[in-house]
Amino acid sequence: MRQELSSEQKRMAKRLMIALDYPDAEQASLMIDKLEGIPCYMKVGMQLFYAAGPELIKDLKRRGYSVFVDLKMHDIPNTVKGGAESLTQLGADMFNVHASGGSAMMEAARAGAVAAISINPSLSMPLIIAVTQLTSTSQEVMNNEIGISGKVTDTVVRYAKLAAEAGLDGVVASPQESAAITEACGPAFCIVTPGIRPAGSSMDDQSRTMTPGQAIQQGSHYLVIGRPITASADPRQSALNIIEEMIQA
């Protein structure tokens, strides 16, 4: 019999986002079953969404989970507006766009969500966040391949300010930039941080990482964690260990 989580564990679990990076709904469902009783966010990215479609989001909502739909929209404003309207109608609690798409595109994302709610007032307004620089992007890649000069932190903060001015709720950024974003945009501006790696675990394809405790101390609101939990021999215990580290931080 699984032990009931404490109120503090449940509170902190809501700041943990499990990355369901699976090729189909069946494999994702097996992982969700292993995490039963932990009221975390579920993050659905491109691989799973493209395979399982909108019905998966509806199923996760029926099971009581908050859902972050991580599709990183980046297109002309009208197309992004339509995508945002559809995701809001699905019941997504959070979705994202690329800040590099510009102010008009980010404003269109918010307009799409508002349009969906105007049609169906029973819907809740999702958190809309902007991707700054991917956590796999190093200083060298940003400068020499993407073609953006300067330091990664400066670019991330500039994108964060742009997102705030466009009316978005926050950004996706590495935990290494969390403190600078908070200083620039205020403590209420939401920071979602991938690239979280518990001490001693593999960095995989991430470049700018921190441990869960360090990320919380730096001001991250939500931590996105995939392989350190989903590839673990005991995913549930790994998730609980991370939640405990977040609490201690």
Side-chain angles (χ1 to χ4, degrees):
M1 183 175 178
R2 288 172 175 167
Q3 185 176 355
E4 178 73 12
L5 271 63
S6 69
S7 59
E8 183 67 6
Q9 286 175 316
K10 290 178 179 177
R11 183 185 70 82
M12 194 58 76
K14 294 177 181 178
R15 297 175 63 180
L16 173 62
M17 296 179 158
I18 307 294
L20 297 175
D21 296 328
Y22 293 102
D24 54 58
E26 289 74 21
Q27 291 187 51
S29 183
L30 288 173
M31 178 53 59
I32 294 166
D33 289 342
K34 293 177 182 178
L35 298 169
E36 185 179 355
I38 301 177
C40 52
Y41 249 90
M42 292 297 174
K43 185 183 83 72
V44 178
M46 295 178 188
Q47 182 183 25
L48 185 55
F49 187 83
Y50 295 159
E55 194 55 41
L56 174 70
I57 309 302
K58 296 177 183 178
D59 182 59
L60 287 169
K61 295 298 296 180
R62 283 192 292 265
R63 296 175 73 161
Y65 288 103
S66 295
V67 183
F68 170 24
V69 183
D70 179 22
L71 299 182
K72 301 179 179 70
M73 290 188 286
H74 190 173
D75 214 310
I76 63 171
N78 190 60
T79 298
V80 169
K81 179 181 178 182
E85 185 171 351
S86 294
L87 290 176
T88 304
Q89 289 171 346
L90 274 180
D93 298 278
M94 179 185 292
F95 66 84
N96 55 5
V97 300
H98 267 287
S100 57
S103 296
M105 190 202 76
M106 289 190 280
E107 290 168 0
R110 181 168 180 80
V114 170
I117 292 172
S118 69
I119 295 170
N120 182 0
S122 68
L123 295 169
S124 297
M125 185 70 181
L127 292 172
I128 308 174
I129 59 176
V131 177
T132 54
Q133 283 294 322
L134 301 175
T135 50
S136 59
T137 301
S138 65
Q139 181 81 42
E140 180 182 3
V141 168
M142 190 188 80
N143 293 160
N144 299 331
E145 296 183 20
I146 300 175
I148 298 175
S149 60
K151 296 180 179 179
V152 171
T153 299
D154 294 337
T155 299
V156 168
V157 170
R158 178 165 53 83
Y159 278 148
K161 289 180 178 179
L162 197 66
E165 291 168 1
L168 299 197
D169 301 289
V171 290
V172 182
S174 97
Q176 294 182 11
E177 293 97 40
S178 292
I181 293 168
T182 298
E183 183 178 355
C185 301
F189 193 64
C190 181
I191 304 172
V192 178
T193 53
I196 304 299
R197 290 292 181 270
S201 65
S202 170
M203 287 181 63
D204 298 305
D205 54 357
Q206 303 290 350
S207 293
R208 307 190 324 279
T209 70
M210 279 188 184
T211 67
Q214 290 170 333
I216 291 294
Q217 290 171 343
Q218 288 297 310
S220 299
H221 295 86
Y222 296 95
L223 309 187
V224 177
I225 304 180
R227 287 163 285 189
I229 292 174
T230 58
S232 167
D234 188 342
R236 191 173 196 278
Q237 189 57 53
S238 294
L240 291 174
N241 291 345
I242 288 170
I243 290 168
E244 190 59 36
E245 182 179 343
M246 293 166 69
I247 292 171
Q248 295 303 316

